[in-house]
Each structure stands twice: as C-alpha cells, then as structure tokens.
Amino acid sequence: MDLFVQLFAAAMASGTPLLLAALGGILIERSGIIQLGVEGMMLMGAIVACLTFLRTESLALALLAVFAVSAVLGLLHAFLTVSLRANQIVSGLAMTLFGAGLSAYLGKPVSGIPMPGAVPKLYLPWLENVPAAGGLFANLDMLTWFSFILVLAMHLFIHRTSWGLHLRAIGDNPATADVMGIRVQAFRYGCVTVGSMLIGLAGADLLLAFSPTWIEGMTAGRGWIAVALIIFARWNPIRALLCAYFFGMLDTLGFRIQLLGSEIPSYFLKMIPYLVTILVLMVLGWRSRNKPSGAPEALGVPYIREQRL
Amino acid sequence: MNQQTVPAPLASGETAAEAKTKRLPFRLEFDPSRPDSPWWITIVSVLLALAACGIFIAVNGMNPVTVYAKMLTGAFGSSFGLTETLVKTIPLLLCGLGVSIAYRISVWNIGAEGQFVAGAIAATAVTVYFPGLPAYAAIPAMLVSGVAAGGLWGLLTAIPRTFFQVNELITSLMLNYVALLVLNYVVFGPWKDPQGFNFPGTPVFTEAMSLPVLGGTRLHLGLAFALAAVALYALLIRYTRWGYEWRLIGANPEAARNAGIRLSRHIMFVMLLSGGLAGLAGMAEVSGVAHRLMYGISPGYGYTAIIVAWLARLNPAGLIISSFLFGGLIVGGYSVQTIGLPSSTSSMLQGAILFFLIAGGMIGKFRLRRNV
Amino acid sequence: MNEGYTVEMKQIVKQFGSVLANDRVDFRARAGEIHALLGENGAGKSTMMCMLSGVYRPTGGGIYLHGRQAGIRSPKDAMKLGVGMIFQSFRLVQSLTATENIILGESSPFWRGRGWMKTKLEEIRSLADRFGLAFPVDRPVWELSVGEQQRVEIVKTLYRGADIVILDEPTSVLTPGEAEQLFATLAHMKSEGKTVIITTHKLKEVMAVSDRISVMRKGRMIASMAKSETTERELARLMIGKQIPAARPAQARSIGKPLLTVKHLDVYAEHGRKALGDLSLQVNEGEIVGVAGVAGNGQKELAESLAGLRSWKRGTVAFDGMTFKTASVRAAMEAGISHVPENRMRSGLAGSLGIVDNLLFKSYRSPERSTLGFMRTARNRAWAQTLVEQFDVRTPGLDTPVRQLSGGNQQKLLFAREISRDPKLMVAVHPTQGLDIGAAQGVHRLLVELRETGRGVLLISEDLDEVLQLSNRILVIFGGAIVYETKGCEADRERIGLYMAGLTEEGEAV
C-alpha cells in the first residue's frame, strides 16, 4: 500500500508538467490550430524560469517572466499560422528547434546549478492522518494544486461559458462561427497565446518542481508526449489529467524497477513511455476507423474567409 | 447565362471589416492560389534571421557583426574550415535528402535523427561482430547494414501511419528517443571500449572498417555517396515514373487516387528510402569521421536536416547549397566557442532561420490592394 | 414605395467573372405569404436569395426591405434587418447541441451554468413547439436526422428574430413525411405574419405550399403569379422554356453494339445512405446517352462507380465483353473508360502542377510515355504540345500551373487528356459547369466528335438543354434509379421536366 502511494505520488510529480503542457495544447488545438512546438516552448519556459529564479530568488517573478516569454512565442506561432496561414506543422517544428537552440544558448552559464525548494509546498496537517490521501495530498507543491484547479477551470470554461462555446464552434466549423458573428482570427490568437503560456508554465514546473537543475534538452521528448497525450485525452482536460498521470507513472516506473534490482538495463526501461505512446496511438487509430477521434474538425486547416463577391 | 448585354456595375458595397480599414490607402489580401514567394525572399529571410539572433548575441555582451564574421571565417575562411564544413555537409545532405523525399508526398518524417543513429549502430554492429573482415567486405557490409537499419527505422513510422492512421510526426519523433537510448545502451554497456578509460564509445575502427579519405584530410568517401544520392534523387524526381507519381501525390492526393495510384504503398516505400538515406549518413559518420560509435554521435543532424530541406524547397541543387551552408553554420558555431559563445549559438540560428523562411514563404500569397 | 411588400429586389444584376447569373431581376414578396421562387438548377434563384441574405453583393440593382433601401453587406447585416436564410448545406457545428448552435451568436452572459442552460433549453423548446418544430434540443447536432437539423436551422433563424425567412431548396434533403411537416411549419410562420420565401424546382411542392410563385429561367425573371392563377403544366412550361434546341442529334445510322451494360446496381454513399437503387442502363457504341436529373439523385455515385472509384453492393457492370467484379480505377482505365469528374480542380487536375504533368495523369504507364520506369520527357513534352494545339488550350506555357488557367481551358485540358487515351466510353459529369458559352460549345463539339468516331458517351448533366441537344437517348435519373427513357429525337422537354421533378405525366409521384 505504501509502495503504491509512493509510486502514485511520483507519477503525479512527473505527470504534472505533462498535464500542464497537454492542457495548454488542448486549448490551442480546440481552436483549430496544431501546436507541435510544445517541446521547444517547454524548454524556453524552463530556462526562463531558471534564469529569473537564480537572479531574483522569487517564484512569482520567475513565473511572470515565463508567462511573458511564452506569450510572445505564442503570438509568434499565431502570427505565422493565423495571419500568414503558414503550414502549422512546420511552424511548430520551427518553434521546437528554435526553443531547443535558444534555451541551450541561454542556459549555458547556468547549466548544472541546482535550485531546490523553489516552489513552496502546501502543508495540510489535517490530511496527514487520512490513509492514502495523506501521503498524496498533504504535502503537495503549489503548482500541482494549481494544475488541479486548472483542469477544473478549463473543463468549466469549455462547457459552461460563452467563450467556451465559441471555442468549440471555431475549432469545428470556423465558417459557421464567422457567420454567427464570432471573430475567428482574434479568438484563435487568444487561445494560442494563453495555451502557450500554460505550456511555458509546464516547462517551468518541470525545472522548478520536478528536476531542479537546468540541463540542455532536459524535456527529453516530454513535449512530444504531451502532444500525444492531447490525442489520448481526446481533447478533454479531465481525461488529460488521467493520461498525464499514467505517463508520469511510466516515466517513474523504470526508475522503480531498477531500485527493485532488476536485471534489465535502465536504457530499455527508459524507452517505455516512448514505446507505449506509439502503441496507444496505434490502438486509438485502429479504433477510430469507425469512431470519431474527438479531434476538432477544422484542426490544422487555416481559415480563409470566403470572398464575398 | 446566355446574355450578351452586361450592364455596368451600379454600386458595390463593402464588408464591415473593409469599411474599418478604409482609411488606409492599401490593404493586404490573402490569396491562396498565388504562387510561392520568389527565390530572393529566401535570402532576405535568412538575413533577417541572422539580424534577429544578433539581438540575443548582443545580450550576451558580444558584437553580432564580429561573431558572424568569426563564424564565416571559421567555416569558410581556411582550407581546414572548408574541409570541416564539407565533412558536416555530408550527413546533412543525406538526411536532408531523406526528409525531402518524404515531404514530397506530404509525409512528415522528423525521425531522421533516429534513422541516422540506427544506421550508425547497425554499421558498427558489423565491426563488433565481424572484427576481422577485410576492407572489401567490411565497408559494403557496413553500408548495407546501415542503410537497412535506417530504412527499417523509417518503416516503423510508415506502418502505423498506413495501417493505423497514426500521425507520423509523433511516431518518428518517439523513435528518435528510442534509437538514442539504444545508442547509449551499447556505448555505455556491451560495446564500450575496454581500453577507453570509461569513454562512452566503441573501440576505434581498424583501417579496413574506415571509409577512404581524400589525401590527408578528414574528407571521406561519404561525400561521393551523398553527391551520388542527390544526383539519383534529381534523376528520380525529374525523369522517372516514381518521381512523377510522387509529384502527383504531393500536389493532389485525391487526383492521384483517381489516376489509379496507391498511396499506402508509396508511403511505405518512401519512408524506407528516407530512413535508408539517413541510415547511410549514420554509417558514413561512424566509418568516415568518428571511426567509432560513441555517445552523442549526432549533434542533431537529423533535426537540422529538416531546415536544410525546407530552405532548399526540396530541390536537389538547393539541397547541396543549403546543406553546405548549414554545415558551415555548425562549424562556425564551434569556432565562436573560442570567443566565449556556446556552441548552441548555431542551433538557435537554425531555428530562427526556419521561422523566417516560413514567414517569407507566405509573403508571396499576399497581395497589396489599393482601397478604392 | 409599394405598401405591403416586405422584400423588394429591383433590377438585380449579378455577375461572377464572365458569367452573368442574374440579369435585371425584379422580385417582391409580402408579409404573411409563402412565396415560391421556381426555376431549374442554375436559373439564378439561389444567387438572388444569397444577395438578399448578404452572402453575395449584387453587381447592380437595389434591395428594399419594408420599403426602405437596405445596405446589406454581410449575413450579419441581413440578420440585423430580420432576414434569415436556411441554406441547402446547413450552417451548423456538428459537435454542438441544437441549443448551443441556436445561441451561438449570442454574446451574453459569460457564465452559463446549468440553471441558465435549463432556461435556455426551455425557451428554445417552447419556441420550437410554437411553430411545430420538434427536435431534441439537448443532443449534439450530428446525432440528429437531416430533417431535424433543418428544424434547428429554422429555429435558429426565428430565435435571432428573423421576420423574412428564406429556405433554399428546403425539401431536397427531406423524406416526404418530413416535407409535410415542414409545410405545416411554413404555414404556421405565415400565419404569424412572417415572409416566407422558398426556392425550389419541384412543381408539386410549389402547388402544395405556396401562395405566390415567381418563375426564373436562365438568370431572368419569367413570370410571377398567384398560385390560383396557374397550373403545374403551365409552370413546367415556364420553368423549362419552350424553345426547340437548334441541333438535333444525328440518328441511329452509326449506333453499334452494346458497350456498357449496367444491371441492378445498388450503391451506398457515405454514412450508409443508399445512393443508387436497382439502377440499370446501357450505352452502345456511337451514341451519346444523356442522363438528366436534378442534383443529388445519384449522378455522382453512378459516375464514380463506373470509373472504379466507388464499390457497389449489388448488380453487375459489364463493359466491352468483360465484367467488372470490384471497383478498380486501374481496371476501368485500362478497359477504356474515361471519366471527366464533376469537380475538376478537386479530383481531376493537380492545380500546382504544369500542363505536361496533368496531361500524363492516366497515360504515364504506357510504353509511349515511359520506358523502364523512366518518363520519356522530351517526347512527352512534344506530345503535350500537340495536344495543347489540337484542343486549343490557351496557356502561357507548358509549365504553367493549371490553376492559373481559365475554367474553360482547364476543362479542355481534361478532355484532351481523356480523349488522347482513345477511350471506348467517356463518362462526363456536368462537363460544362461554370464554363462560358464558347467553352461549353467547344466541349459539346468534342462529345459529338467522340460519338461520330464510334465511341460511347454517357453524359450526366443537370443542364437539360445540353442533354436534349446532344443525346441520342435520354435517361432521367430520380432517387437513384432510371425512371424514364426516351429517344433523343422524340424527347419531350416538358415530359422530361416532370420526370426530373419526380412526377409522371399524370402528375403522380414516381
């Protein structure tokens, strides 16, 4: 039992960056824009958080800086894909390559400097004695709590607000949304920007809370797993939570198995999340032959208003 | 529809959006049917990317002009720099060629990195398991094994795509990490050089396992492979039925279906080819340059190849030029390390160049219209 | 201004490129009436209504609502002025519920909790009930039947406060029962003082539902009268026109042996919709067989089945002494069937490629065009050049991307490609759609030439004039089956028109 709680706590810790990134991605893709730059944006979020925190020792300032930089990157992606109608796939790839390069460039001087305890933990003594839940929730950091709130907020936003309705309409049928008086392009700009801020936050969480030392390319494909998570979660925030923890579990599983004294080399255990991602995608692909995948209908298609002659 | 008399237009309205912008004398109009941007836009885009990155260099307390000059002379200014640039051109050209072939039929292979590594590992396997082979057998065996492994790695992306409708972007990228983990396993584990003072790498190859080099330089036979591959690619896309079919699939998949072309077969074959070329690059890198398999055998050739392909607009001659330029960028990146900039300067530049290329590529689709 | 007219459109001209869709059309409708705008496909009636609802802007003329000139620039403007249009293809977001679709444009309030949603559901349910429009208000639209989706569209229009409601071909997607229900709703809307305009080509429903009828033909307004003043037969005559086509087809002398024999074909379209049911037809060598019919009666699926693009559930397709077991593009091509598809740029040509590549589409496998896997480039260019000259394709060069050519030249190119393969049978779907007169005549000449050289032609077209002018035999397709067949020389326009509209001579539904 204790082992299970430990395992789950570890899964939550390593799943939270995945969750935040997937939530940002869901917001962006729900509006009909593909975002493949998650990996690069997470790296940028991590390095900006690292640099700001080392200089100011302030979590708030670090997060503020992360939000600002991610918003700028998001606006860049939005400008390319929404205004210029550039290929969304290539724009995302550029974001990943640029983010990886720039973060490595900026991070050179701070590489390897540890910075533990950046994110304060919320200590709930009254929970401590509750079995299972105590071990999981009594001493969680603020960003994890924030991610819980975010899942709920996003779910309510999508299903219970007028903007959420607009979002769903734009992602599925921008032409109809346009006819109904919704400003498609402006709305997409907003979604891409806010979603990118969440992805940046995911990077910051990875660095500040999960593995508090900057290492070049430290996301190690987590951004891409987050992209796959969006598909697994069928663009639904609550499912994203479950999927993120599942992958967080896989991520820590290799480490755990090693602790148990397994003979399998750690390299092969580390492959598990990547291989499971491909397998799950294949299963989903097989299923979606006669069932909708839940993807927004207009995902990846630039919206060009019909010329009124 | 049969009327001959057409009255002159009486009045023309305008949409609300147009009314708002009416104060400006011009407006931009998007027209997807317009042709791509002219070629000189590409050059402007690259220059603008350099200018933008200049800001980050200046932040680091360096003069961007000096840095770029240093990179330029480092990469192209001496015969040593030039050969190093050419040595880097080889894997970029082969990988860039591989992804170009895939992009021609709109298959987004971003797994060249993994396919490169797979090729390198497989080529090294020959040296590990058959250490005594003579040169005339070792080199071809490494070649075949490298190309086959790269191709297989590519197929692992193509199969989910054709039979399970899985987006090839994610699969090919996941497989990059898998290939890298296999690499790390072998170089830290079973294949590690016992006399290597714990260096994560295999023993150095014998003469028989190394590709011949030009004179006393580091320039190896891989360059001939790469150039031959480009020539074949040019031949393939211009003069053969396959090339024609790829052109058709890339331009209009539905029309291709109407012409009786089977897409799934082409996707499998193209990914095999694409991966095979990256695998060849991996083989050439271990056999021609590193002379051993080691940790970090690729400084991201597979990713740079994506930009190489995009810059070249998938065109064979363009591929040679752009891979040479990016080879220079990597070497220039090394040379600025001496003045205190990280080697990642060049990867930052690469990403920025791709951004500006994308934006530049769309500019031609806009038309400046006079507001009447 | 004339009192009582809620809608007045005066001297409306609409031009698309070189095509004149509406030529000085006048149209008026009153409050509290159901006004039917009758005409064949391409008569310009939908274009008129699109201008009224702000989708298009007129090239000339004026629109007046309630006696005042209306500056309608967008659908939003039209909606503000109380004009709502229900299109043939619905403007609905499939994943949203009916209610969500209806309130989509509404901006307030931001928070929409369960309570708020409940009151909205009630509001919309009662609005729908008031007009006799039953549909599940809280189900996603994709779960609704087409008839229910149309009701959602109508309620959406009413909810947004429209008092002028336009329905474009409203019954084209409905079952007879659903159509009856729709008519009851329209009557209800009329009694509430709304102006209801429907565009249609179905005589029966015009007589069943409308108060006034305006007939359009070829972009012109022909007549406008009260229903009581007219009969179905007169309307059919007005709609189709009486003129005899100039050139009648040459007769039987050259008709040869059977080429294509289709028997009892059942074909299902997307989502399991039955597109063809028990369809049989035959095409002989040296004849043009025209298939007349209103859009959406199975023409597309018929052509696709013959071209090997769509498989069939039941029936046989025999061609030139062999029988096709399954649909295969290659088999159909190699047997000598040519296919000029409905939408040339979507499935016929590759817009970004040049002339040569587009001409090679179907023949690149032949030894003349490629050998040992290599394209015979120089030879193919010369061949393309002769084809371009032979078919008079006007192009700046052989490498010009074909999307930059005019529609007529694109179609010439397509025909050049198909005819150059020396087909035994040509299946041409709407071959003159969107072409100007000169280009259309060029296409007609090509089809006649094919016949004169002993090939068979299956001409599938919505343009009845075209079918009458060219065909040796005329078939009428309705509801996925051939319902009428006549010789070209004996063809009676009016009778064909009745069959196309799903009526027999006696005025009974088929």
Side-chain angles (χ1 to χ4, degrees), chain C residues 34-46:
Chain C
I34 298 177
H35 196 123
L37 187 53
L38 182 69
E40 280 189 289
N41 276 302
K45 51 193 195 306
S46 294

Side-chain angles (χ1 to χ4, degrees), chain C residues 305-318:
Chain C
S305 303
L306 297 181
L309 286 161
R310 191 179 281 281
S311 55
W312 49 88
K313 273 270 153 62
R314 201 171 67 89
T316 55
V317 177

